[in-house]
Amino acid sequence: MDAVKTIITDEHKKEMCRYLYNHQNLDGGWGLHIEGRSSMFCTVLNYVSLRLLGQEMDGGDGAMHKARTWILDHGGATYIPSWGKCWLSVLGVYEWDGNNPLPPELWLLPYFLPIHPGRMWCHCRMVYLPMSYLYGKRFIGPISGVVLSLRKELYNQAYHQIDWNLARNQCSKEDLYFPHPLIQDILWKCLHKFAEPLVMKWPFSKLRNRALSTVMKHIEYEDVNTNYLCIGPVNKVMNMLCCWIDDPNSTAVKRHLSRIKDYLWVAEDGMKMNGYNGSQLWDVVLAVQAIVGTNLPQEYDLMLKRAHQFIKMSQMSKDSSGDLSCWYRHSSKGGWPFSTADNGWAAGDCTAEGLKAALILSQLPYEIAGQALEQNKLYDAVDLILSLQNSSGGFASYELTRSNAWLEMINPSEIFGDIIIDYQYVECTSAAIQGLKQFSKLYPGYRRKNIEACIKKALHFIESMQLSDGSWYGSWAVCYTYGTWFGITGLITGGKTYENSLAVRKGCEFLLSKQLPSGGWGESYLSSQDKVYTNVGKDVSHIVNTGWAMLALIEAGQAKRDPNPLHRAAKVLINSQMANGDFPQQEIVGVFNKNCMISYSAYRNIFPIWALGVYLNKVLKA
């Protein structure tokens, strides 16, 4: 794909190399995120990336040698997890026979079967969709001198002597977050030994060709309806590759190439590829609530007007094209995405927070916030939120939960947890309560009974998700502090109080029990990974965690009972602010699938401002 060279220039390559070298661990490896311990998955892929970017095998002032030594000391690249095996196979430095099957024929199954890919979490199915195409095609790229060299560099034995059947289930212990259950190993072995040889031969090869054609249609649908951004970077680049394999001169390939830069971000540490095409909408709606929470909106009128305009232009005005059920898509009309409207995927919590922010801004004078969002568009958002509630009362991330949790036993990723279905989350459910409650105050006549019934069920779900120590596990940020903020806020918004709700009281007691002697809260990403509350360090506060805890406690009326914990926490935030008004970037606070972290750079300002603003108005001025 020579056209990539026009997108990824020499300067891009230089900055990408700089980023990778800057985040190499002392032992020579790379982690799944910038604070993570070294893993085979990221060390191999980053090493290979550096080689493809033009670095010599012993370049980088010894950094490449250290990385290669780490790989070989930990068994070699046969121990890379399954996603890595797929990428290496495409490149030609690993054999497709060393992969567990990813049969595209799954897309031909009837939808009523619980294992149909259309029932999976959208991020999961959108990644395994192009993976199944690549696997079904057994595609291998051009074998260059670098590829031949990598076949020698990545393994402890000669490439032609590797036992690829043995390699199928090898995974480094440093990577293994979700080990294969025995039933999964049996399934892959049967598919590999019996099913795959069968579909490679006529007449069964016709079935393989039909499956590949079906998969390609789904890839094209995803591309068109996301304006060639796709739901995330992994399926974006895989979809682009599949389009190139299908027709290297197609318009689809050109459009894919034009959207690569949407994912690239250059900062002090070099150029990186984002885990989404940004978090624009999410950051904006939280920032709006933080600014309005200070009760100083008149000082930020231009900022609020521009934010309001972005919120309005980011709302989705229509559903994806065609018959949604044929493409396994939920309605998106009235929803908001995590990033930009071009992304094409409405997220439940983003829609709820977008609705809440739009309603807040609609109550401000026109001179401060501009024209309010039209009433019919607010109704569209409410309709979408109500359509996303599951029978349990909970809300998932993008769609309804379409299958059963037992399907997680076929999670083949090895490095992520809870990826197969769209689970229901306290954060998404709390956001829905907050958005709907705010709406019903201003528009009590629209679907009042539906909203009341929805909130009642959602409250029950939140209470059912509370853990025995009073906390809630947060799935989208670190971790128990974040989940408990949403749990308490959702319950109180829904009509519960500290006095009448045991769940609220237990949640507050949990937060107070984790307050550090310094006055703040400081939870580590290890909480998400290990599912045990873990501090960043001994008496080390984190300003974002502290902001979440303060917001929850203030909402629950802590100031009336004992304001001292709030005073101590506020002092931590005030003393953390730098001379230029900025707050320091601290440890990572975003997370997905339990084991992978996300940097939310805007959080370091949003949540201290929000917490201090609410503290000023609801504690000091109360």
Side-chain angles (χ1 to χ4, degrees), residues 153-438:
E153 296 167 36
L154 295 174
Y155 303 101
N156 284 315
Q157 61 192 111
Y159 188 79
H160 69 278
Q161 292 179 337
I162 295 172
D163 184 342
W164 297 108
N165 186 52
L166 178 65
R168 280 191 306 110
N169 291 311
Q170 287 181 334
C171 182
S172 169
K173 62 181 176 59
E174 285 76 16
D175 295 71
L176 195 57
Y177 185 74
F178 188 88
H180 290 178
L182 177 61
I183 191 171
Q184 194 178 134
D185 289 334
I186 294 171
L187 173 64
W188 302 144
K189 186 173 183 178
C190 291
L191 287 172
H192 179 76
K193 192 169 183 179
F194 303 112
E196 280 302 310
L198 203 60
V199 295
M200 302 299 283
K201 298 175 183 177
W202 191 89
F204 299 102
S205 57
K206 289 184 177 181
L207 185 67
R208 172 59 51 97
N209 291 333
R210 183 183 161 208
L212 289 170
S213 176
T214 298
V215 166
M216 197 64 216
K217 288 176 183 175
H218 281 277
I219 289 172
E220 290 166 355
Y221 184 87
E222 161 74 348
D223 290 346
V224 170
N225 284 279
T226 62
N227 300 285
Y228 295 86
L229 281 172
C230 302
I231 196 172
V234 177
N235 78 311
K236 192 273 187 299
V237 291
M238 284 190 168
N239 281 16
M240 178 169 63
L241 178 59
C242 292
C243 290
W244 183 80
I245 295 167
D246 187 59
D247 181 359
N249 299 310
S250 67
T251 302
V253 172
K254 295 181 179 69
R255 290 178 176 170
H256 261 299
L257 287 167
S258 72
R259 300 311 299 256
I260 288 175
K261 288 184 179 179
D262 287 75
Y263 281 97
L264 302 180
W265 184 262
V266 65
E268 299 91 336
D269 53 352
M271 179 168 281
K272 62 210 78 177
M273 191 163 186
N274 289 328
Y276 220 83
N277 69 307
S279 54
Q280 295 92 320
L281 187 280
W282 184 248
D283 288 342
V284 165
V285 296
L286 294 178
V288 163
Q289 294 176 69
I291 293 165
V292 175
T294 65
N295 202 25
L296 299 170
Q298 66 281 358
E299 296 192 23
Y300 305 99
D301 53 346
L302 179 59
M303 185 192 299
L304 289 172
K305 281 179 184 173
R306 293 173 68 185
H308 198 182
Q309 184 61 32
F310 179 77
I311 291 168
K312 289 185 287 186
M313 67 186 282
S314 298
Q315 188 182 23
M316 297 177 187
S317 59
K318 60 182 180 180
D319 286 330
S320 299
S321 61
D323 183 349
L324 298 181
S325 63
C326 290
W327 306 102
Y328 316 113
R329 294 288 285 264
H330 196 91
S331 173
S332 54
K333 182 181 178 183
W336 275 276
F338 182 66
S339 54
T340 61
D342 271 4
N343 172 266
W345 285 88
D349 53 351
C350 296
T351 298
E353 297 290 351
L355 174 64
K356 186 163 54 153
L359 292 167
I360 290 170
L361 290 166
S362 74
Q363 295 176 272
L364 296 177
Y366 175 84
E367 298 75 26
I368 293 176
Q371 184 67 45
L373 186 65
E374 295 95 320
Q375 189 170 303
N376 65 301
K377 293 184 177 180
L378 296 173
Y379 290 173
D380 288 342
V382 169
D383 292 343
L384 180 61
I385 293 170
L386 291 173
S387 75
L388 288 167
Q389 187 173 39
N390 290 279
S391 58
S392 66
F395 286 77
S397 57
Y398 290 88
E399 301 163 330
L400 291 168
T401 304
R402 297 175 175 177
S403 198
N404 306 302
W406 60 260
L407 269 181
E408 204 63 39
M409 72 174 66
I410 62 167
N411 172 0
S413 72
E414 294 148 336
I415 53 176
F416 301 120
D418 290 358
I419 68 166
I420 298 296
I421 65 171
D422 201 349
Y423 291 89
Q424 295 149 46
Y425 303 100
V426 63
E427 302 102 302
C428 300
T429 307
S430 173
I433 291 172
Q434 294 174 56
L436 292 173
K437 197 71 174 180
Q438 183 85 7

Side-chain angles (χ1 to χ4, degrees), residues 9-39:
T9 65
D10 287 343
E11 287 303 312
H12 282 82
K13 293 177 182 178
K14 186 189 300 181
E15 288 300 310
M16 289 174 179
C17 291
R18 190 163 70 86
Y19 176 77
L20 292 177
Y21 284 137
N22 275 334
H23 292 290
Q24 187 176 21
N25 290 333
L26 292 175
D27 62 5
W30 284 269
L32 195 52
H33 52 90
I34 59 174
E35 294 178 27
R37 67 184 184 185
S38 296
S39 68

Side-chain angles (χ1 to χ4, degrees), residues 11 48 96-97 104 114 119 131 260 342 385 430 498 585 603:
E11 287 303 312
V48 168
W96 279 110
D97 283 344
R119 294 185 174 277
M131 271 190 183
I260 288 175
D342 271 4
I385 293 170
S430 173
Y498 184 89
Q585 181 66 56
Y603 278 17

